[in-house]
Amino acid sequence: MDEEGIDVNETMYRVIIGSLLYLTANMPDLVLSVGMYARFQASPKESHFKVAKRILRYLKGTHDMVLFYPSDFLVDQKSTSGMAHFLGSSLISWGTKKQNTMALSTTEAEYVTAAS
């Protein structure tokens, strides 16, 4: 909370936070910090805006860091889901899992879902 800080443009702050919230679906390391600063969209202060810009600079510096899957890893058509656990900015564990079954039609997919 920065109740006595200088007010900034709410629209620009909301655009930045909205974009960062969209990215949290694929970047779990952003969830905590973006969620924390999303609370200040009603009356953002200069200190909040500086942190939002710092998060953008973090993204610029880490855009080439990805989890790599070799091409022979994806030889079948089963979906692969993944997870990553971060402690601060450090990746401490990660894992992947392929789906157990593969449906050839929408009806079959619904049947498999209902049966499970």
Side-chain angles (χ1 to χ4, degrees):
M1 305 273 310
D2 185 11
E3 296 173 0
E4 298 181 19
I6 301 170
D7 290 333
V8 295
N9 185 347
E10 288 179 16
T11 305
M12 179 60 79
Y13 186 76
R14 289 178 181 167
V15 167
I16 292 172
I17 292 296
S19 300
L20 291 172
L21 284 169
Y22 177 76
L23 289 175
T24 60
N26 293 324
M27 302 186 72
D29 54 330
L30 295 179
V31 173
L32 178 65
S33 56
V34 173
M36 186 177 250
Y37 285 92
R39 298 183 298 170
F40 302 107
Q41 292 184 60
S43 59
K45 305 295 181 188
E46 187 176 24
S47 61
H48 305 134
F49 194 71
K50 285 181 180 180
V51 172
K53 290 195 302 185
R54 180 180 290 176
I55 295 171
L56 291 173
R57 284 193 301 273
Y58 166 78
L59 288 172
K60 183 179 179 183
T62 60
H63 73 279
D64 58 345
M65 294 183 177
V66 297
L67 293 175
F68 174 71
Y69 295 103
S71 59
D72 60 342
F73 185 75
L74 303 171
V75 293
D76 57 9
Q77 294 187 4
K78 292 182 179 179
S79 295
T80 305
S81 60
M83 63 176 179
H85 297 278
F86 289 85
L87 182 61
S89 62
S90 301
L91 179 67
I92 56 173
S93 71
W94 67 279
T96 61
K97 181 180 179 186
K98 285 191 176 189
Q99 67 186 33
N100 296 329
T101 58
M102 185 178 72
L104 299 176
S105 68
T106 322
T107 306
E108 187 180 358
E110 291 174 0
Y111 175 76
V112 169
T113 302
S116 63

